[in-house]
Amino acid sequence: MLKYESVDEYANALLGGEDEALTRMRSEAEEAGLPRIQVPPEIGRLLTFLVKLSGARRILEIGTLFGYSTVIMARALPEDGSLVTLEVEPRHAELAAANLARAGLADRARIEAGDARASLAAMSGETFDLVFIDADKVSYPAYLEAALDLTHKGSVIVADNVWRGGGVTAPRDDNTRGPARFNEMVASDRRLLTVFVSSRGGDDATSVSLVV
Ligand code: DHB
Ligand code: MG
């Protein structure tokens, strides 16, 4: 019998998957019937890495769910750093708020409940060092436009789920058309230097763009 079912499992065992607090958050969210679509450990590690490497002090997250990636990024911030996360589903925002409080991060991370497009429009003029997009896939192009308005040279714009099981290579619905358009936009925008980091056994990827 093989010790690991996949190389992701091997790498996560080697490099560290999730700690007890994150495991608890995940199982409670599952019990509450939330979708099991939080970032996998390899993307959690990528987010920690990018926050540290970029020296980000201000983070914007679009799509909170129950605050799994929120906790991961907020932990990686310096003491005086701050994070704003946008969530359309009130029940998700509530659970995420409880999770942030329990993780001792409530002073560093703020949840804004409501439609992300409206929240983003109201943020005009603010700047962030790192933006993480992980929300409704249809709106990825709009979220990228907003992220470009809210960042500066040296900022990092990250987006989860940009391959969609390969669906973006021949988009057939809005959930693949959104990320496919997003990918074309980051690829052709001369302000951005982009890499796709594959995850979930190559089924999906996270896009990482440096604003140059
Ligand atoms: C879906 C959304 C996600 O953010 C994800 O990581 C996986 C799947 C979805 O809506 O299908
Ligand atoms: Mg995702």
Side-chain angles (χ1 to χ4, degrees):
M1 199 174 77
L2 291 173
K3 193 167 174 196
Y4 300 106
E5 281 181 15
S6 66
V7 276
D8 282 338
E9 205 178 284
Y10 160 80
N12 292 330
L14 198 60
L15 297 174
E18 61 185 2
D19 64 9
E20 269 176 39
L22 290 169
T23 305
R24 182 172 167 189
M25 280 173 57
R26 188 164 51 77
S27 58
E28 285 176 2
E30 210 171 309
E31 277 164 31
L34 269 68
R36 298 162 62 179
I37 53 171
Q38 74 287 334
V39 293
E42 64 271 20
I43 299 305
R45 204 160 47 240
L46 175 69
L47 292 172
T48 301
F49 180 90
L50 291 171
V51 173
K52 298 273 189 196
L53 181 70
S54 66
R57 306 183 87 78
R58 282 174 56 80
I59 296 175
L60 169 64
E61 179 179 57
I62 307 173
T64 313
L65 194 57
F66 59 95
Y68 191 85
S69 47
T70 320
V71 164
I72 290 172
M73 292 190 290
R75 279 175 174 171
L77 276 171
E79 196 74 38
D80 61 347
S82 68
L83 183 155
V84 182
T85 182
L86 312 180
E87 176 53 51
V88 70
E89 193 62 55
R91 203 165 70 89
H92 298 175
E94 218 171 280
L95 184 53
N99 282 331
L100 282 170
R102 195 169 56 194
L105 296 165
D107 56 337
R108 219 182 278 179
R110 179 172 70 81
I111 301 169
E112 195 163 309
D115 176 67
R117 291 192 195 220
S119 296
L120 291 165
M123 282 176 183
S124 174
E126 290 189 47
T127 59
F128 294 90
D129 310 312
L130 188 147
V131 178
F132 179 45
I133 301 166
D134 191 13
D136 62 295
K137 309 310 166 198
V138 181
S139 304
Y140 269 36
Y143 295 151
L144 177 61
E145 299 277 9
L148 284 163
D149 282 343
L150 296 170
T151 47
H152 54 85
K153 273 202 174 80
S155 291
V156 184
I157 300 173
V158 186
D160 192 27
N161 313 113
V162 298
W163 284 359
R164 306 287 295 169
V168 291
T169 61
R172 287 165 195 276
D173 56 28
D174 285 346
N175 281 323
T176 43
R177 243 175 250 129
R181 179 71 197 124
F182 174 97
N183 293 341
E184 288 166 7
M185 288 166 73
V186 291
S188 62
D189 195 315
R190 298 175 66 94
R191 291 168 293 182
L192 299 175
L193 177 64
T194 298
V195 293
F196 296 146
V197 180
S198 88
S199 67
R200 305 157 174 103
D203 240 27
D204 215 333
T206 300
S207 169
V208 180
S209 300
L210 177 66
V211 181
V212 295

